[in-house]
Amino acid sequence: MNNAQDHAFTLDEIARRLGARLVGDGTRRVSGLATLSDAGPEDITFLANRAYLKFLPDTRAAAVLLHPSHADDCPTACLTMDNPYLGYAELSALFDPLTARDAPGIHPTAVVSASASLGKGVQVGPHAVIEDGARLGDRVIVGPGCVVGTDSVIGEGSRLHANVTVCHGVVIGKRAILHSSCVIGGDGFGFAHDGSRWHKIAQLGGVVLGDDVEVGSCSSIDRGALGDTVIGDDVKIDSQVQIAHNVQIGDHSALAGCVGIAGSTKVGRNCMLGGGVGLSGHLTLCDGVQVTGMSLVTNSIHKPGVYSSGTGAMSNALWRKNAVRFKQLDDIVKRLTRLEKKQRNR
Amino acid sequence: MNNAQDHAFTLDEIARRLGARLVGDGTRRVSGLATLSDAGPEDITFLANRAYLKFLPDTRAAAVLLHPSHADDCPTACLTMDNPYLGYAELSALFDPLTARDAPGIHPTAVVSASASLGKGVQVGPHAVIEDGARLGDRVIVGPGCVVGTDSVIGEGSRLHANVTVCHGVVIGKRAILHSSCVIGGDGFGFAHDGSRWHKIAQLGGVVLGDDVEVGSCSSIDRGALGDTVIGDDVKIDSQVQIAHNVQIGDHSALAGCVGIAGSTKVGRNCMLGGGVGLSGHLTLCDGVQVTGMSLVTNSIHKPGVYSSGTGAMSNALWRKNAVRFKQLDDIVKRLTRLEKKQRNR
Amino acid sequence: MNNAQDHAFTLDEIARRLGARLVGDGTRRVSGLATLSDAGPEDITFLANRAYLKFLPDTRAAAVLLHPSHADDCPTACLTMDNPYLGYAELSALFDPLTARDAPGIHPTAVVSASASLGKGVQVGPHAVIEDGARLGDRVIVGPGCVVGTDSVIGEGSRLHANVTVCHGVVIGKRAILHSSCVIGGDGFGFAHDGSRWHKIAQLGGVVLGDDVEVGSCSSIDRGALGDTVIGDDVKIDSQVQIAHNVQIGDHSALAGCVGIAGSTKVGRNCMLGGGVGLSGHLTLCDGVQVTGMSLVTNSIHKPGVYSSGTGAMSNALWRKNAVRFKQLDDIVKRLTRLEKKQRNR
């Protein structure tokens, strides 16, 4: 798909918006953004990763956004910035067809409670439901099929894509982006056992999302048992993530797809959790912790750095042998220790 | 969020409902439930875990629910019970704002088939769809945006939160709680290969959920290929869980977030699966099996107990070395065995 | 559940449709399909796996579909085929109640844009939303609560079950089956960091699904950053799967539940990923790769075959010892190497 034709900008305009230095003809217009190898003569492109430097000489793009150190290698107009990847982020917003299309208004099929309060320029899509006492800030966009529960608050400029569920008593900050079918504020998983069966513990807390939070499609952030589940400012959460009750995530942390965090665990600021990472409950991860994909963390981490667990893939034939040996590992060490003793006693 | 003000009870009332023994002024009223450290003078709290005993002397709560052995250490009124965590579960229901708010009735935007049958006091939310032949028991609550498929049955007192999908021909017992965006009865994953491409196997079975089952947000329970996927009574399933076709789960088992169970596996009664656990297909786990978080189970388990796999997180630098060694593990054992032989032959 | 009574066929009819050879009375009618052990005298059954051969002598079925080599052991009428599992797939379609029930038409509560184009025989369910410029091919079925975004295309004969979200600018081929609450075309997870906070990279690409693709419930296929996420023909994707931006999956590959694939990874044709498998980003897996359940793949794979990682479950007591030893593995090998040197120097 290519929605690039919806927008066109001169290189001068782009340089001004990005604060970039332009080398080349500022009156040339570009109407699309593409990769170095895919870009055509109507497109602007960027170079932010040295691995793609090899594509620079042959690019057909009208202009390339890149680091000043690569300007001499650029066969066409260029815009230079110290952080071209950041420039790419700004370019992507310029060329985003979604930003152009939104028209405020409440669709006639939406069900909006008389006791809900809606700010200026709010858009509520077809079949969306806004329950009693909910408050939507200015310019909030609620997509088709979304449900915003009783007494929940959505901060200004936030967008809920289609079929999002925000349960009752949830507080969402400004400029949130919630993707389709994510659920904010479903019950946490709490039960007391009487010796023979489970008794539900009603989940009386809420969920509080800071400003600039993004949540991917089909992700779940559960409400607190007592007290809230708290997601800090500028936290980015990918698709298929599970965040259990009373978890706390510090500002600017990023969680990749399929991460699961068990109840009451605290993740610090500026942490990064790779895809499929699992954190046990009641842990504390300090600021600046990175955990690589599919690692299991069962103890708190008090020192910034990169952490990992598991084993990488190998041929199944080799793996079968090694996995059996893993089950014998403690015995293997005992055998080794015995040998060492004999050696020493000689 | 704090909905505690919606409810107020005297300590005498609470003691009577919980069957607890009260020490203190029974006429005092409490209007909220909070943790030991957060509770204020309008709140009741509880102590169910010795780790929190340190907060007891300084609690500001009006009353504390605790074990009789801690009564002497309590600076305020107390209610004693042998299982205070169970008492907490009952308290949480008392203070649950959801229970107070529900008003029966069919929202005018709901689409309810003329051939569906609805019990007494049923509530169907905005934009919900009840298809042909579906039967909802007394006091069933169907949230906004839910779909209940053709010929499905929902037992009395069950609640479907927003945007739940119950596909056709599914049977759900009494008092079920289904959280937002979960899907009960999507197709199992079955295909036959003809040597060059896949042919779909229509999934002709259904899903049967017993009584008192809870299913978390965004979880999937797939319908059987032939015969049903069967979830026993009092089974508790967290968010982001995948249960494949023809799985059977015994009564009172609990599955934490992100668990995945492959086709036709049978999990016994009173089992507990930690977050992210994976069970291969066609296995049998006997009653009383616990599996710790993110473990992979590829063989049946015939003895109750706790099972685990995987490795815990360590620094990435150390992990890289060890993960490489894991690939050499079988060779390492061979080297060790050679050394042992030489030793013996000496 | 048993919808089998909706259909009845003579054994002659079935043999003709399947291209099977019938041994027995061709006028006998069957009205259901069941397993060897569950089938009654109104049912047809099949034998496709030797493990179930033991149930053949006692089957109560009217007829059994099986390989010619088992015909002599069959106590009742039989239909023989070289690939009876493939025959079972065809039988399952015959007995599928869903195929009988669909009636075309646009439900009056559906919201269909005037600029959308709908083919012949299209069915749009209650509360579904078809946005501007969307194009639905002939006989497309859109279930209740689905949203088809602006300018998206759904190929002829495709079915969207309830509450599916297809975002804007997505292209879906013919005969797709999308299960409830899956999301096709949510944003990929892309951000640039400015040293203190994240800047969103608008996801300007789309998603392209080939023909005959199936996607399970609650799965996510994210749209590309620049360029598209591309799923080939006849790719089968189970429930709870996460496919990140710009991933490419080759024709005929199958992904089991809870798989997660990070950005820009390319999976070849005829690959099979077991449940919970994780693939890191920017990898290439060649054609014909199989990865067993819950394995982590962090490097490209250039040779067809079966690959694995991780360790199988054992008792927690044994696991605790071995998991500790895993952290010492590199040191253990150093100890072994020292011993070997001493041995050699003797």
Side-chain angles (χ1 to χ4, degrees), chain A residues 292-304:
Chain A
T292 62
M294 288 182 73
S295 296
L296 166 65
V297 180
T298 56
N299 292 297
S300 290
I301 296 179
H302 302 297
K303 203 176 141 189

Side-chain angles (χ1 to χ4, degrees), chain B residues 278-297:
Chain B
L279 308 185
S280 297
H282 298 274
L283 305 183
T284 299
L285 272 62
C286 68
D287 296 349
V289 167
Q290 295 181 32
V291 184
T292 62
M294 289 181 72
S295 296
L296 166 65
V297 180

Side-chain angles (χ1 to χ4, degrees), chain B residues 302-342:
Chain B
H302 302 297
K303 202 176 141 191
V306 184
Y307 295 82
S308 303
S309 78
T311 72
M314 62 204 87
S315 81
N316 179 263
L318 178 58
W319 174 79
R320 282 172 176 276
K321 291 185 202 168
N322 292 329
V324 165
R325 295 308 191 186
F326 180 83
K327 297 193 185 185
Q328 307 163 344
L329 205 45
D330 192 56
D331 279 339
I332 290 166
V333 176
K334 283 178 184 149
R335 286 164 57 188
L336 180 61
T337 305
R338 265 195 305 272
L339 269 189
E340 286 171 334
K341 270 189 191 151
K342 284 188 182 164

Side-chain angles (χ1 to χ4, degrees), chain B residues 10-250:
Chain B
T10 66
L11 295 183
D12 269 339
E13 283 177 288
I14 290 177
R16 207 163 43 238
R17 282 173 187 249
L18 269 56
R21 184 164 162 272
L22 172 68
V23 182
D25 173 9
T27 66
R28 184 151 179 191
R29 295 178 77 80
V30 289
S31 58
L33 169 64
T35 62
L36 263 178
S37 48
D38 288 346
E42 313 285 303
D43 295 328
I44 186 168
T45 185
F46 68 98
L47 172 66
N49 180 334
R50 293 185 60 88
Y52 297 100
L53 186 54
K54 61 187 174 194
F55 297 119
L56 183 58
D58 296 323
T59 188
R60 297 164 53 236
V64 183
L65 173 70
L66 40 60
H67 190 268
S69 61
H70 296 303
D72 289 348
D73 302 321
C74 183
T76 179
C78 67
L79 293 93
T80 64
M81 278 180 80
D82 283 345
N83 185 345
Y85 199 63
L86 189 59
Y88 159 47
E90 297 183 46
L91 274 181
S92 74
L94 279 185
F95 288 96
D96 185 0
L98 277 189
T99 56
R101 217 158 43 204
D102 304 321
I106 312 301
H107 194 275
T109 62
V111 174
V112 180
S113 163
S115 65
S117 90
L118 276 60
K120 293 176 195 157
V122 162
Q123 181 181 345
V124 180
H127 301 311
V129 177
I130 315 292
E131 296 188 340
D132 297 348
R135 283 177 284 152
L136 310 185
D138 294 346
R139 297 178 310 285
V140 163
I141 298 173
V142 176
C146 291
V147 177
V148 178
T150 305
D151 294 331
S152 284
V153 178
I154 316 270
E156 61 181 55
S158 292
R159 171 190 280 264
L160 281 61
H161 285 266
N163 286 328
V164 167
T165 303
V166 173
C167 301
H168 68 278
V170 167
V171 176
I172 291 177
K174 299 174 183 172
R175 297 173 299 277
I177 302 175
L178 307 184
H179 289 286
S180 293
S181 285
C182 73
V183 178
I184 316 295
D187 275 0
F189 194 62
F191 304 91
H193 204 273
D194 70 3
S196 65
R197 61 187 299 122
W198 298 107
H199 295 249
K200 181 175 176 69
I201 295 172
Q203 302 291 299
L204 303 180
V207 177
V208 177
L209 267 60
D211 295 334
D212 300 298
V213 170
E214 185 157 345
V215 181
S217 63
C218 302
S219 286
S220 303
I221 304 180
D222 293 347
R223 65 189 319 110
L226 294 172
D228 297 323
T229 303
V230 180
I231 310 296
D233 292 338
D234 195 34
V235 169
K236 307 302 184 185
I237 297 171
D238 199 355
S239 306
Q240 302 282 341
V241 169
Q242 152 69 354
I243 298 182
H245 49 187
N246 299 99
V247 164
Q248 297 180 24
I249 313 271

